[in-house]
Amino acid sequence: MSETVILGVEALTGRAEAIFRKAGLSSRHAAALARVIVAGERDGCKSHGIYRIEGCLRTLKAGKVSPDAEPILHDDGSAVLRVAAGGAFSCTAFELGAPVLAERAKRLGLAALAINDCTHFSALWPEVEVLTGMGVAALAMCPSYSTVAPAGGSRPLLGTNPIAFGWPRPNQPPYVFDFATSVAARGEIELHRRAGRALPEGWALDAEGEATTDPEAALSGAMLPFGGHKGSAISTMIELLAGAMIGDMTSSEALDWLGTTALAPRHGELILAFSPERFAAGRPGDPFARAETLFEAIVGQGARLPSQRRFAAREKTMAHGIVLTAAEAGHLDRLEAQGLDAVS
Amino acid sequence: MSETVILGVEALTGRAEAIFRKAGLSSRHAAALARVIVAGERDGCKSHGIYRIEGCLRTLKAGKVSPDAEPILHDDGSAVLRVAAGGAFSCTAFELGAPVLAERAKRLGLAALAINDCTHFSALWPEVEVLTGMGVAALAMCPSYSTVAPAGGSRPLLGTNPIAFGWPRPNQPPYVFDFATSVAARGEIELHRRAGRALPEGWALDAEGEATTDPEAALSGAMLPFGGHKGSAISTMIELLAGAMIGDMTSSEALDWLGTTALAPRHGELILAFSPERFAAGRPGDPFARAETLFEAIVGQGARLPSQRRFAAREKTMAHGIVLTAAEAGHLDRLEAQGLDAVS
């Protein structure tokens, strides 16, 4: 086994931030990006950890994301808030909007935040967890770019369109799920290809729209939605609500604009926040205590709550640091030394 | 083939209404129930058509639903409206709340309607379609009673927890989906049992929590969520938002209260309404026209939009009337003549 490097969360955040600043991101964007990337690494969620830095730099180098646009909050006092991200990464826009969204949900019971014109590369759970930390439940969703065929279809049209939900829990991490509405993530198909393994049935279509278990054929064809026509309907709803409705790109438009699936996509995002206290007002029982009864019943019959593996990894890294392989550490060194020259 | 009876929508509504009034429902409740039941029959959705009348009467006879409680709207001017159904059927409560919900969504961009203490037996699509008819997009969900094991679990805990979504379309029926978050409806398992057919794999567990394809074993065991852990997470979210959060029963509590799965369940319901015009304000493009582009792309590659079979059936029955079999017509006659004495 090659040597590993152990870094604290703060130290790794500092390194990621330095890489982004050197690549030309403003301090504000560099810091926001570093936070979500290190959150992924901290939670053992390698697919959304430092692995993503290179994709961000490539998107920057291709001129497909603004390095320094300042997000602008539009607030007319209603239940719908908007942050115009100005073509920059979404993280800063979210950080600007989140506290206002939570406050508005507490005042009106329910509120929405639309983020427009952002490049979105992070998982949704970091955002949902920021909101549960503010005492509200949250439902987040966004398009992606066309890689998924609708159920019964033959060609890529929908994105992997993630949906995430969070519910605050007293004295412990929130109830959180976050998943792609495709049956598998594109990265999983890529992993099968590299390993020379066939895909499970029902994951993908080839370029002719026929079912395939060949990962190579799948990558030039289309992925399928999870759960057949039901998942396909949810994915379509995400295109409508977090694309057409908020006046931002659908997955099809995002792919046209970007011209490739190799860079982080530009589109919008929709986040709903609910105040359980406001919804439960005047009704019997405390909503948070009643939710715990439900969670206990789930765990009590041997099922898992989502995100538990991630929370366990977090506990470990918070106590013992983040472990990087020698290759990962070397990659970071190279990105830090060479900046945008390190990526093609 | 035995003789069939053809009735217009109005005539069938009148008959259903008369049955409900005779059984003791107030005129207001009888009319509201008749409307949703005939909507099911009109759309060729037999599982939610006149077949449901008997279950309503049984629930009434068992004293588990109020025949005449008047729904009360609570409106504090915020984004959260509440209708207290007072233990009666949900339809009247929905009819009271829907126009206020649509108006509030248009004013604030987004609003929610919580219906509490209702007996819910209808599909969600009639409600979603009322709201799209008022120009708003809608997302509706409710618990049920415990018949579904969480993914990885062994016993019934979640309900079949339906979720429905609607998006208004100019000059044609809306985009609507409405499905149970269980992989199959309980009625489908019952149909397999009657036909002596094995269930597909992945539908159910037996009473010991083991996977089964035996419908009999499944009915005394648990159904499974659609889409594995993803569907299970969505179903759990429905318990949280439309149960714990709105201060109403979860599926587990609903089953405890009712003591059987043979009657219609008492619980609450949550409906969100979105004003696409408000969400899209100031952004390029008309959200409704952009949605049509998406629908065309789905249909253009040979996939179907949800509910199209229902809308086709509707067009046919609106032109030619609703066709009842001789058995169905006889059943209606019997319910009309005998009232509550017709049910056990």
Side-chain angles (χ1 to χ4, degrees), chain A residues 76 79 82 108 117 150 153-155 175 177 180 182 230 233 236 244-245 247-248 253 278-281 283 287 290 301, chain B residues 76 79 82 108 117 150 153-155 175 177 180 182 230 233 236 244-245 247-248 253 278-281 283 290 301:
Chain A
D76 62 3
R82 184 187 305 284
L108 294 179
D117 299 327
S154 58
R155 290 190 302 274
Y175 173 88
F177 69 73
S182 51
K230 295 183 180 184
T236 303
M245 185 175 82
D248 218 312
E253 293 164 338
R278 288 297 302 271
F279 272 90
R283 297 286 308 169
R290 295 181 61 232
Q301 62 169 269
Chain B
D76 63 3
R82 186 187 303 285
L108 295 178
D117 300 327
S154 57
R155 290 191 301 276
Y175 173 89
F177 70 73
S182 51
K230 295 182 180 183
T236 303
M245 186 175 83
D248 218 311
E253 293 165 339
R278 289 297 302 270
F279 272 89
R283 297 286 307 169
R290 294 182 61 232
Q301 62 170 268

Tab-separated table of all heavy atoms in Angstrom, chain A residues 76 79 82 108 117 150 153-155 175 177 180 182 230 233 236 244-245 247-248 253 278-281 283 287 290 301, chain B residues 76 79 82 108 117 150 153-155 175 177 180 182 230 233 236 244-245 247-248 253 278-281 283 290 301:
chain	number	residue	atom	x	y	z
A	76	ASP	N	-38.839	40.186	-3.265
A	76	ASP	CA	-39.980	41.102	-3.307
A	76	ASP	C	-40.904	40.889	-2.105
A	76	ASP	O	-42.049	41.328	-2.114
A	76	ASP	CB	-40.756	40.942	-4.628
A	76	ASP	CG	-41.335	39.535	-4.800
A	76	ASP	OD1	-41.186	38.703	-3.872
A	76	ASP	OD2	-41.938	39.267	-5.849
A	79	ALA	N	-43.133	34.628	-1.245
A	79	ALA	CA	-42.606	33.317	-0.864
A	79	ALA	C	-41.541	32.829	-1.838
A	79	ALA	O	-40.966	31.763	-1.635
A	79	ALA	CB	-43.744	32.298	-0.785
A	82	ARG	N	-35.097	34.844	-5.297
A	82	ARG	CA	-34.284	34.484	-6.447
A	82	ARG	C	-32.868	34.986	-6.222
A	82	ARG	O	-32.681	36.102	-5.741
A	82	ARG	CB	-34.873	35.132	-7.704
A	82	ARG	CG	-34.175	34.751	-8.998
A	82	ARG	CD	-34.687	35.551	-10.199
A	82	ARG	NE	-36.117	35.469	-10.391
A	82	ARG	CZ	-36.759	34.416	-10.912
A	82	ARG	NH1	-36.090	33.338	-11.250
A	82	ARG	NH2	-38.062	34.448	-11.059
A	108	LEU	N	-43.484	32.735	6.619
A	108	LEU	CA	-44.668	32.417	5.802
A	108	LEU	C	-45.074	30.946	5.897
A	108	LEU	O	-46.106	30.550	5.360
A	108	LEU	CB	-44.397	32.762	4.334
A	108	LEU	CG	-44.201	34.235	3.989
A	108	LEU	CD1	-43.912	34.401	2.497
A	108	LEU	CD2	-45.426	35.068	4.380
A	117	ASP	N	-28.904	30.849	-13.584
A	117	ASP	CA	-27.649	31.073	-14.316
A	117	ASP	C	-26.434	30.669	-13.493
A	117	ASP	O	-25.480	31.445	-13.348
A	117	ASP	CB	-27.523	32.561	-14.712
A	117	ASP	CG	-28.652	33.003	-15.623
A	117	ASP	OD1	-29.118	32.172	-16.428
A	117	ASP	OD2	-29.072	34.171	-15.521
A	150	PRO	N	-36.418	9.269	-21.315
A	150	PRO	CA	-37.655	9.072	-20.550
A	150	PRO	C	-38.095	7.608	-20.674
A	150	PRO	O	-37.766	6.952	-21.667
A	150	PRO	CB	-38.643	10.014	-21.231
A	150	PRO	CG	-38.098	10.276	-22.596
A	150	PRO	CD	-36.612	10.144	-22.486
A	153	GLY	N	-38.859	5.759	-23.935
A	153	GLY	CA	-38.196	6.506	-24.999
A	153	GLY	C	-36.943	5.803	-25.482
A	153	GLY	O	-36.664	4.655	-25.117
A	154	SER	N	-36.156	6.510	-26.287
A	154	SER	CA	-35.011	5.867	-26.929
A	154	SER	C	-33.742	6.701	-26.916
A	154	SER	O	-32.668	6.190	-27.214
A	154	SER	CB	-35.369	5.552	-28.390
A	154	SER	OG	-35.743	6.759	-29.062
A	155	ARG	N	-33.837	7.979	-26.531
A	155	ARG	CA	-32.688	8.880	-26.651
A	155	ARG	C	-32.528	9.732	-25.402
A	155	ARG	O	-33.513	10.008	-24.713
A	155	ARG	CB	-32.905	9.836	-27.837
A	155	ARG	CG	-32.837	9.187	-29.197
A	155	ARG	CD	-32.806	10.252	-30.300
A	155	ARG	NE	-33.952	11.150	-30.289
A	155	ARG	CZ	-35.113	10.903	-30.890
A	155	ARG	NH1	-35.294	9.763	-31.526
A	155	ARG	NH2	-36.078	11.785	-30.845
A	175	TYR	N	-32.294	13.923	8.934
A	175	TYR	CA	-32.722	12.917	7.964
A	175	TYR	C	-32.478	13.531	6.596
A	175	TYR	O	-33.034	14.592	6.297
A	175	TYR	CB	-34.209	12.596	8.144
A	175	TYR	CG	-34.744	11.673	7.058
A	175	TYR	CD1	-34.669	10.298	7.216
A	175	TYR	CD2	-35.287	12.169	5.880
A	175	TYR	CE1	-35.127	9.442	6.221
A	175	TYR	CE2	-35.737	11.323	4.878
A	175	TYR	CZ	-35.655	9.958	5.061
A	175	TYR	OH	-36.092	9.117	4.084
A	177	PHE	N	-31.990	12.589	2.306
A	177	PHE	CA	-31.689	11.772	1.138
A	177	PHE	C	-31.329	12.679	-0.021
A	177	PHE	O	-31.715	13.851	-0.063
A	177	PHE	CB	-32.815	10.796	0.781
A	177	PHE	CG	-34.099	11.395	0.246
A	177	PHE	CD1	-34.174	11.930	-1.037
A	177	PHE	CD2	-35.260	11.391	1.017
A	177	PHE	CE1	-35.365	12.452	-1.532
A	177	PHE	CE2	-36.458	11.922	0.523
A	177	PHE	CZ	-36.505	12.457	-0.752
A	180	ALA	N	-29.824	10.716	-7.597
A	180	ALA	CA	-30.111	10.967	-9.003
A	180	ALA	C	-31.408	10.256	-9.348
A	180	ALA	O	-31.698	9.180	-8.825
A	180	ALA	CB	-28.983	10.440	-9.876
A	182	SER	N	-31.858	9.120	-12.274
A	182	SER	CA	-31.460	8.018	-13.161
A	182	SER	C	-31.249	6.798	-12.265
A	182	SER	O	-31.018	6.927	-11.065
A	182	SER	CB	-30.180	8.363	-13.915
A	182	SER	OG	-29.184	8.793	-13.010
A	230	LYS	N	-42.413	5.815	-13.076
A	230	LYS	CA	-42.583	6.699	-11.911
A	230	LYS	C	-41.369	7.624	-11.754
A	230	LYS	O	-41.522	8.842	-11.580
A	230	LYS	CB	-42.798	5.863	-10.636
A	230	LYS	CG	-44.099	5.059	-10.663
A	230	LYS	CD	-44.339	4.280	-9.373
A	230	LYS	CE	-45.648	3.488	-9.465
A	230	LYS	NZ	-45.979	2.782	-8.211
A	233	ALA	N	-41.354	10.198	-14.449
A	233	ALA	CA	-42.298	11.293	-14.185
A	233	ALA	C	-41.695	12.295	-13.195
A	233	ALA	O	-41.837	13.511	-13.363
A	233	ALA	CB	-43.610	10.727	-13.645
A	236	THR	N	-39.129	14.336	-14.991
A	236	THR	CA	-39.805	15.326	-15.850
A	236	THR	C	-40.307	16.506	-15.012
A	236	THR	O	-40.198	17.671	-15.412
A	236	THR	CB	-40.980	14.663	-16.603
A	236	THR	OG1	-40.475	13.556	-17.357
A	236	THR	CG2	-41.665	15.637	-17.549
A	244	ALA	N	-38.084	24.965	-16.645
A	244	ALA	CA	-39.040	25.869	-17.300
A	244	ALA	C	-39.650	26.869	-16.317
A	244	ALA	O	-39.750	28.068	-16.612
A	244	ALA	CB	-40.146	25.043	-17.978
A	245	MET	N	-40.083	26.402	-15.128
A	245	MET	CA	-40.813	27.293	-14.219
A	245	MET	C	-39.953	28.431	-13.692
A	245	MET	O	-40.430	29.563	-13.558
A	245	MET	CB	-41.419	26.515	-13.049
A	245	MET	CG	-42.296	27.397	-12.160
A	245	MET	SD	-43.152	26.497	-10.846
A	245	MET	CE	-41.856	26.380	-9.607
A	247	GLY	N	-37.541	29.719	-15.160
A	247	GLY	CA	-36.961	30.482	-16.278
A	247	GLY	C	-35.507	30.154	-16.501
A	247	GLY	O	-34.702	31.037	-16.826
A	248	ASP	N	-35.165	28.893	-16.312
A	248	ASP	CA	-33.771	28.503	-16.537
A	248	ASP	C	-33.731	27.280	-17.446
A	248	ASP	O	-34.764	26.735	-17.820
A	248	ASP	CB	-33.063	28.249	-15.207
A	248	ASP	CG	-31.630	28.744	-15.247
A	248	ASP	OD1	-30.926	28.432	-16.229
A	248	ASP	OD2	-31.216	29.446	-14.313
A	253	GLU	N	-31.565	21.943	-23.024
A	253	GLU	CA	-30.987	23.254	-23.335
A	253	GLU	C	-29.578	23.399	-22.746
A	253	GLU	O	-28.695	24.007	-23.350
A	253	GLU	CB	-31.897	24.364	-22.806
A	253	GLU	CG	-33.244	24.420	-23.532
A	253	GLU	CD	-34.292	25.240	-22.793
A	253	GLU	OE1	-34.161	25.423	-21.550
A	253	GLU	OE2	-35.249	25.679	-23.445
A	278	ARG	N	-44.556	25.949	11.839
A	278	ARG	CA	-45.679	26.702	11.274
A	278	ARG	C	-46.750	25.762	10.722
A	278	ARG	O	-47.942	25.989	10.878
A	278	ARG	CB	-45.183	27.633	10.152
A	278	ARG	CG	-44.386	28.825	10.645
A	278	ARG	CD	-45.246	29.734	11.534
A	278	ARG	NE	-46.429	30.225	10.842
A	278	ARG	CZ	-46.483	31.331	10.122
A	278	ARG	NH1	-45.421	32.103	10.026
A	278	ARG	NH2	-47.597	31.680	9.520
A	279	PHE	N	-46.318	24.691	10.071
A	279	PHE	CA	-47.288	23.750	9.503
A	279	PHE	C	-48.058	23.011	10.600
A	279	PHE	O	-49.216	22.660	10.421
A	279	PHE	CB	-46.592	22.743	8.586
A	279	PHE	CG	-46.464	23.184	7.157
A	279	PHE	CD1	-45.355	23.899	6.724
A	279	PHE	CD2	-47.459	22.891	6.232
A	279	PHE	CE1	-45.233	24.307	5.399
A	279	PHE	CE2	-47.348	23.290	4.898
A	279	PHE	CZ	-46.234	24.003	4.484
A	280	ALA	N	-47.386	22.757	11.726
A	280	ALA	CA	-48.004	21.966	12.801
A	280	ALA	C	-48.758	22.827	13.803
A	280	ALA	O	-49.433	22.295	14.691
A	280	ALA	CB	-46.932	21.153	13.535
A	281	ALA	N	-48.663	24.147	13.639
A	281	ALA	CA	-49.227	25.047	14.656
A	281	ALA	C	-50.696	24.741	14.936
A	281	ALA	O	-51.502	24.616	14.010
A	281	ALA	CB	-49.068	26.502	14.197
A	283	ARG	N	-51.928	22.056	16.075
A	283	ARG	CA	-52.246	20.634	15.939
A	283	ARG	C	-51.575	19.861	17.079
A	283	ARG	O	-50.576	20.299	17.634
A	283	ARG	CB	-51.715	20.114	14.593
A	283	ARG	CG	-52.347	20.778	13.398
A	283	ARG	CD	-53.753	20.313	13.150
A	283	ARG	NE	-53.838	18.852	13.086
A	283	ARG	CZ	-54.982	18.163	13.093
A	283	ARG	NH1	-56.134	18.784	13.176
A	283	ARG	NH2	-54.981	16.856	13.035
A	287	PRO	N	-43.966	18.016	15.839
A	287	PRO	CA	-43.616	17.326	14.586
A	287	PRO	C	-42.245	16.657	14.630
A	287	PRO	O	-42.058	15.605	14.014
A	287	PRO	CB	-43.658	18.446	13.533
A	287	PRO	CG	-43.611	19.729	14.291
A	287	PRO	CD	-44.210	19.451	15.624
A	290	ARG	N	-42.516	13.447	16.700
A	290	ARG	CA	-43.272	12.433	15.955
A	290	ARG	C	-42.436	11.862	14.813
A	290	ARG	O	-42.522	10.679	14.493
A	290	ARG	CB	-44.594	13.020	15.455
A	290	ARG	CG	-45.516	13.386	16.633
A	290	ARG	CD	-46.845	13.947	16.176
A	290	ARG	NE	-47.534	12.964	15.384
A	290	ARG	CZ	-48.020	13.210	14.162
A	290	ARG	NH1	-47.875	14.406	13.618
A	290	ARG	NH2	-48.630	12.276	13.502
A	301	GLN	N	-36.787	-2.041	12.498
A	301	GLN	CA	-37.049	-3.269	11.745
A	301	GLN	C	-35.885	-3.606	10.819
A	301	GLN	O	-36.009	-4.413	9.905
A	301	GLN	CB	-38.369	-3.199	10.982
A	301	GLN	CG	-38.495	-2.140	9.930
A	301	GLN	CD	-39.752	-2.370	9.069
A	301	GLN	OE1	-39.703	-3.041	8.052
A	301	GLN	NE2	-40.870	-1.832	9.514
B	76	ASP	N	-54.302	32.481	7.846
B	76	ASP	CA	-53.673	33.595	8.564
B	76	ASP	C	-52.947	34.535	7.588
B	76	ASP	O	-52.128	35.347	8.010
B	76	ASP	CB	-52.733	33.070	9.654
B	76	ASP	CG	-51.571	32.260	9.080
B	76	ASP	OD1	-51.471	32.147	7.837
B	76	ASP	OD2	-50.765	31.732	9.870
B	79	ALA	N	-48.342	31.640	3.682
B	79	ALA	CA	-48.292	30.709	2.543
B	79	ALA	C	-48.877	29.348	2.903
B	79	ALA	O	-48.943	28.465	2.056
B	79	ALA	CB	-46.845	30.543	2.074
B	82	ARG	N	-54.982	25.979	5.922
B	82	ARG	CA	-55.378	24.721	6.527
B	82	ARG	C	-56.893	24.579	6.416
B	82	ARG	O	-57.624	25.544	6.633
B	82	ARG	CB	-54.973	24.720	8.002
B	82	ARG	CG	-55.206	23.408	8.721
B	82	ARG	CD	-54.935	23.527	10.217
B	82	ARG	NE	-53.601	23.984	10.545
B	82	ARG	CZ	-52.498	23.231	10.465
B	82	ARG	NH1	-52.576	21.989	10.033
B	82	ARG	NH2	-51.329	23.728	10.803
B	108	LEU	N	-48.357	34.918	-3.716
B	108	LEU	CA	-47.046	34.760	-3.065
B	108	LEU	C	-46.059	33.967	-3.925
B	108	LEU	O	-44.902	33.829	-3.557
B	108	LEU	CB	-47.208	34.059	-1.718
B	108	LEU	CG	-47.995	34.808	-0.627
B	108	LEU	CD1	-48.104	33.947	0.627
B	108	LEU	CD2	-47.310	36.139	-0.293
B	117	ASP	N	-57.505	15.777	9.465
B	117	ASP	CA	-58.612	14.978	10.000
B	117	ASP	C	-59.639	14.636	8.933
B	117	ASP	O	-60.845	14.827	9.128
B	117	ASP	CB	-59.311	15.732	11.154
B	117	ASP	CG	-58.371	16.023	12.301
B	117	ASP	OD1	-57.470	15.209	12.543
B	117	ASP	OD2	-58.545	17.070	12.962
B	150	PRO	N	-40.301	-0.396	4.634
B	150	PRO	CA	-39.235	0.439	4.071
B	150	PRO	C	-38.184	-0.457	3.403
B	150	PRO	O	-38.040	-1.620	3.787
B	150	PRO	CB	-38.657	1.147	5.294
B	150	PRO	CG	-39.054	0.320	6.476
B	150	PRO	CD	-40.337	-0.352	6.106
B	153	GLY	N	-36.227	-3.261	5.118
B	153	GLY	CA	-36.988	-3.635	6.311
B	153	GLY	C	-37.727	-4.944	6.118
B	153	GLY	O	-37.520	-5.657	5.120
B	154	SER	N	-38.614	-5.247	7.044
B	154	SER	CA	-39.253	-6.558	7.039
B	154	SER	C	-40.750	-6.514	7.309
B	154	SER	O	-41.434	-7.514	7.110
B	154	SER	CB	-38.585	-7.447	8.096
B	154	SER	OG	-38.669	-6.819	9.369
B	155	ARG	N	-41.253	-5.376	7.745
B	155	ARG	CA	-42.657	-5.315	8.190
B	155	ARG	C	-43.354	-4.072	7.625
B	155	ARG	O	-42.713	-3.056	7.379
B	155	ARG	CB	-42.699	-5.216	9.718
B	155	ARG	CG	-42.289	-6.469	10.447
B	155	ARG	CD	-42.626	-6.361	11.940
B	155	ARG	NE	-41.994	-5.236	12.619
B	155	ARG	CZ	-40.758	-5.243	13.122
B	155	ARG	NH1	-40.000	-6.308	12.991
B	155	ARG	NH2	-40.285	-4.193	13.742
B	175	TYR	N	-50.397	18.211	-17.881
B	175	TYR	CA	-49.434	17.136	-17.599
B	175	TYR	C	-49.718	16.689	-16.173
B	175	TYR	O	-49.641	17.501	-15.243
B	175	TYR	CB	-47.999	17.663	-17.703
B	175	TYR	CG	-46.968	16.644	-17.270
B	175	TYR	CD1	-46.437	15.740	-18.182
B	175	TYR	CD2	-46.545	16.558	-15.944
B	175	TYR	CE1	-45.510	14.785	-17.800
B	175	TYR	CE2	-45.623	15.602	-15.552
B	175	TYR	CZ	-45.110	14.722	-16.475
B	175	TYR	OH	-44.206	13.772	-16.091
B	177	PHE	N	-49.125	13.396	-13.296
B	177	PHE	CA	-48.857	12.031	-12.854
B	177	PHE	C	-49.401	11.848	-11.455
B	177	PHE	O	-49.548	12.811	-10.701
B	177	PHE	CB	-47.374	11.642	-12.966
B	177	PHE	CG	-46.423	12.310	-11.995
B	177	PHE	CD1	-46.391	11.976	-10.645
B	177	PHE	CD2	-45.505	13.244	-12.459
B	177	PHE	CE1	-45.489	12.571	-9.765
B	177	PHE	CE2	-44.595	13.856	-11.579
B	177	PHE	CZ	-44.597	13.512	-10.232
B	180	ALA	N	-48.782	5.527	-6.646
B	180	ALA	CA	-48.427	5.034	-5.316
B	180	ALA	C	-46.913	4.897	-5.249
B	180	ALA	O	-46.269	4.564	-6.245
B	180	ALA	CB	-49.077	3.680	-5.066
B	182	SER	N	-45.591	2.655	-3.462
B	182	SER	CA	-45.338	1.207	-3.424
B	182	SER	C	-45.137	0.760	-4.869
B	182	SER	O	-45.586	1.428	-5.802
B	182	SER	CB	-46.514	0.468	-2.789
B	182	SER	OG	-47.724	0.848	-3.412
B	230	LYS	N	-34.671	4.486	-3.141
B	230	LYS	CA	-35.074	5.830	-3.565
B	230	LYS	C	-36.579	6.042	-3.342
B	230	LYS	O	-36.994	7.047	-2.779
B	230	LYS	CB	-34.702	6.063	-5.038
B	230	LYS	CG	-33.191	6.061	-5.279
B	230	LYS	CD	-32.827	6.351	-6.739
B	230	LYS	CE	-31.301	6.330	-6.917
B	230	LYS	NZ	-30.891	6.667	-8.305
B	233	ALA	N	-37.318	6.314	0.302
B	233	ALA	CA	-37.000	7.637	0.851
B	233	ALA	C	-38.115	8.637	0.529
B	233	ALA	O	-38.495	9.450	1.383
B	233	ALA	CB	-35.666	8.129	0.281
B	236	THR	N	-41.014	7.926	2.768
B	236	THR	CA	-40.726	8.430	4.122
B	236	THR	C	-40.916	9.948	4.174
B	236	THR	O	-41.473	10.484	5.144
B	236	THR	CB	-39.290	8.053	4.524
B	236	THR	OG1	-39.144	6.630	4.438
B	236	THR	CG2	-38.978	8.503	5.948
B	244	ALA	N	-46.359	13.959	9.981
B	244	ALA	CA	-45.800	14.642	11.156
B	244	ALA	C	-45.838	16.169	11.011
B	244	ALA	O	-46.236	16.874	11.946
B	244	ALA	CB	-44.361	14.168	11.388
B	245	MET	N	-45.431	16.694	9.852
B	245	MET	CA	-45.310	18.151	9.722
B	245	MET	C	-46.648	18.869	9.803
B	245	MET	O	-46.742	19.933	10.421
B	245	MET	CB	-44.604	18.536	8.422
B	245	MET	CG	-44.342	20.040	8.325
B	245	MET	SD	-43.376	20.512	6.881
B	245	MET	CE	-44.654	20.591	5.622
B	247	GLY	N	-49.137	17.875	11.377
B	247	GLY	CA	-49.816	17.522	12.623
B	247	GLY	C	-50.941	16.531	12.411
B	247	GLY	O	-51.984	16.604	13.060
B	248	ASP	N	-50.709	15.609	11.502
B	248	ASP	CA	-51.738	14.602	11.263
B	248	ASP	C	-51.109	13.209	11.308
B	248	ASP	O	-49.902	13.071	11.456
B	248	ASP	CB	-52.450	14.873	9.937
B	248	ASP	CG	-53.938	14.565	10.032
B	248	ASP	OD1	-54.285	13.470	10.526
B	248	ASP	OD2	-54.736	15.418	9.637
B	253	GLU	N	-49.897	5.381	12.488
B	253	GLU	CA	-50.944	5.872	13.391
B	253	GLU	C	-52.331	5.695	12.787
B	253	GLU	O	-53.297	5.388	13.494
B	253	GLU	CB	-50.686	7.349	13.717
B	253	GLU	CG	-49.418	7.570	14.545
B	253	GLU	CD	-48.948	9.013	14.565
B	253	GLU	OE1	-49.325	9.800	13.664
B	253	GLU	OE2	-48.173	9.366	15.466
B	278	ARG	N	-45.205	33.630	-11.641
B	278	ARG	CA	-44.447	34.315	-10.589
B	278	ARG	C	-43.009	33.820	-10.536
B	278	ARG	O	-42.076	34.591	-10.362
B	278	ARG	CB	-45.123	34.112	-9.220
B	278	ARG	CG	-46.435	34.865	-9.058
B	278	ARG	CD	-46.207	36.385	-9.149
B	278	ARG	NE	-45.270	36.856	-8.142
B	278	ARG	CZ	-45.614	37.258	-6.937
B	278	ARG	NH1	-46.888	37.285	-6.581
B	278	ARG	NH2	-44.703	37.664	-6.071
B	279	PHE	N	-42.821	32.501	-10.651
B	279	PHE	CA	-41.466	31.950	-10.587
B	279	PHE	C	-40.627	32.404	-11.779
B	279	PHE	O	-39.420	32.566	-11.667
B	279	PHE	CB	-41.506	30.420	-10.517
B	279	PHE	CG	-41.606	29.869	-9.122
B	279	PHE	CD1	-42.838	29.644	-8.523
B	279	PHE	CD2	-40.457	29.572	-8.395
B	279	PHE	CE1	-42.937	29.133	-7.236
B	279	PHE	CE2	-40.538	29.052	-7.107
B	279	PHE	CZ	-41.783	28.832	-6.527
B	280	ALA	N	-41.278	32.554	-12.939
B	280	ALA	CA	-40.534	32.887	-14.159
B	280	ALA	C	-40.390	34.388	-14.368
B	280	ALA	O	-39.690	34.812	-15.291
B	280	ALA	CB	-41.233	32.275	-15.371
B	281	ALA	N	-41.037	35.175	-13.510
B	281	ALA	CA	-41.082	36.625	-13.747
B	281	ALA	C	-39.684	37.210	-13.938
B	281	ALA	O	-38.774	36.948	-13.155
B	281	ALA	CB	-41.790	37.315	-12.587
B	283	ARG	N	-37.595	36.516	-16.205
B	283	ARG	CA	-36.666	35.586	-16.857
B	283	ARG	C	-37.075	35.409	-18.316
B	283	ARG	O	-38.242	35.586	-18.658
B	283	ARG	CB	-36.702	34.231	-16.141
B	283	ARG	CG	-36.244	34.307	-14.689
B	283	ARG	CD	-34.757	34.471	-14.557
B	283	ARG	NE	-34.034	33.445	-15.305
B	283	ARG	CZ	-32.724	33.474	-15.542
B	283	ARG	NH1	-31.991	34.460	-15.076
B	283	ARG	NH2	-32.145	32.523	-16.220
B	290	ARG	N	-42.257	26.739	-22.952
B	290	ARG	CA	-41.030	25.944	-22.806
B	290	ARG	C	-41.362	24.533	-22.336
B	290	ARG	O	-40.715	23.559	-22.738
B	290	ARG	CB	-40.052	26.651	-21.865
B	290	ARG	CG	-39.549	27.982	-22.495
B	290	ARG	CD	-38.546	28.689	-21.613
B	290	ARG	NE	-37.388	27.849	-21.423
B	290	ARG	CZ	-36.885	27.548	-20.236
B	290	ARG	NH1	-37.433	28.025	-19.134
B	290	ARG	NH2	-35.831	26.788	-20.161
B	301	GLN	N	-39.946	11.039	-29.160
B	301	GLN	CA	-39.073	9.866	-29.206
B	301	GLN	C	-39.837	8.603	-28.829
B	301	GLN	O	-39.242	7.574	-28.506
B	301	GLN	CB	-37.815	10.047	-28.357
B	301	GLN	CG	-38.011	10.254	-26.885
B	301	GLN	CD	-36.676	10.160	-26.140
B	301	GLN	OE1	-36.282	9.100	-25.678
B	301	GLN	NE2	-35.978	11.278	-26.042
